[in-house]
Amino acid sequence: MNKQKALIIIKPDGVQRGLIGKIVTRFEQVGLKIIGLKFEMAGENRVIAHYPETDVWFKKVGERTLTNYAKKGLDAKVVFNTDDPVQIGRTVKKWLITYFQESPVLIMALEGYDCIEIVRKLSGNTIPLLATCGTIRGDFSHDTIDLANEQNRPLRNIIHASDTVEDGEKEVNLWFTKEELFSYELAGEKFMYKV
Ligand code: ATP
Ligand code: MG
């Protein structure tokens, strides 16, 4: 059993709405360890490097739009001028670059056993409307893909959370230098508990 690392970013909407304290608490109270924490402007190049530049990722994002539009009987061509999921994904990434630079973001590196599964569970579904009550996105937002896309913006869903062990390592190293990461022991670390 290995400890995993995850990167959390409180996105500009979470910061602007004064939710930093509430969100950090959710990760602390399940016993995850904060090993890095900083507040800064994201910077265009870092956001470009943060979200993948692969057709696989663009397609996943584009297909999320198409599935949502099909459910609601909407035509993606009206907003995107195309129904190619890769092209839609590319447009969403451009919107993400603007969104991330609206205000400072809180960047947090976490460590713990099964850390990735835990941060995704606490975050909730990418689409806030579908995120379960009790999750961060479910409790603090209600955005939908069609509303977001109609306004030429990405989903405003409060936080980013790494979604694979590999991405967790990569993203922590992208946003933090070695000197900004700390190794220390939490009280009761041997017997992780909720407080
Ligand atoms: P994140 O990586 O930010 O934690 P996620 O892993 O839940 O979110 P991804 O598929 O990686 O979801 O998408 C990254 C971000 O892009 C989402 O959090 C959301 O803000 C935005 N996004 C994704 N798909 C769409 C879409 N179809 N329309 C609008 N915005 C989208
Ligand atoms: Mg993601």
Side-chain angles (χ1 to χ4, degrees):
M1 236 186 352
N2 283 323
K3 280 189 185 167
Q4 300 169 355
K5 289 188 177 66
L7 184 86
I8 300 296
I9 300 175
I10 304 184
K11 294 176 177 176
D13 52 326
V15 171
Q16 290 160 17
R17 290 180 50 207
L19 295 173
I20 292 174
K22 285 196 169 108
I23 294 170
V24 172
T25 296
R26 297 216 170 182
F27 295 105
E28 278 189 302
Q29 72 188 6
V30 297
L32 291 176
K33 188 192 297 187
I34 298 173
I35 57 168
L37 188 68
K38 58 184 180 177
F39 189 55
E40 62 183 34
M41 292 299 294
E44 182 171 349
N45 288 340
R46 198 113 59 139
V47 184
I48 292 172
H50 172 75
Y51 283 116
E53 194 67 29
T54 62
D55 281 1
V56 172
W57 189 82
F58 292 139
K59 195 162 173 231
K60 174 190 82 167
V61 170
E63 279 176 348
R64 193 184 274 130
T65 289
L66 294 174
T67 306
N68 183 266
Y69 276 36
K71 251 201 277 178
K72 297 201 171 175
L74 299 170
D75 182 2
K77 282 189 187 153
V78 174
V79 170
F80 294 98
N81 288 319
T82 176
D83 51 15
D84 173 8
V86 174
Q87 289 311 319
I88 294 173
R90 283 186 189 279
T91 300
V92 171
K93 179 154 178 180
K94 282 200 193 103
W95 292 340
L96 282 165
I97 296 165
T98 307
Y99 165 45
F100 264 69
Q101 295 182 92
E102 268 178 27
S103 68
V105 291
L106 188 97
I107 309 147
M108 180 162 65
L110 296 174
E111 188 182 73
Y113 294 105
D114 293 319
C115 185
I116 295 293
E117 207 176 322
I118 298 169
V119 299
R120 294 300 290 190
K121 177 183 74 173
L122 295 178
S123 301
N125 195 297
T126 304
I127 305 168
L129 183 74
L130 303 182
T132 313
C133 301
T135 65
I136 293 164
R137 288 165 171 168
D139 284 353
F140 299 120
S141 52
H142 65 261
D143 203 10
T144 60
I145 288 193
D146 40 305
L147 177 63
N149 290 181
E150 195 187 289
Q151 297 178 344
N152 293 316
R153 60 169 177 80
L155 286 161
R156 294 175 81 84
N157 56 5
I158 313 279
I159 59 164
H160 160 78
S162 309
D163 73 350
T164 64
V165 175
E166 196 186 40
D167 281 355
E169 285 287 333
K170 217 167 59 190
E171 291 171 2
V172 166
N173 292 329
L174 174 68
W175 291 85
F176 289 93
T177 63
K178 273 201 185 91
E179 294 70 34
E180 290 170 332
L181 295 171
F182 298 92
S183 175
Y184 63 100
E185 200 168 321
L186 284 180
E189 183 167 342
K190 259 175 89 180
F191 315 101
M192 284 301 178
Y193 54 88
K194 282 195 191 188
V195 291

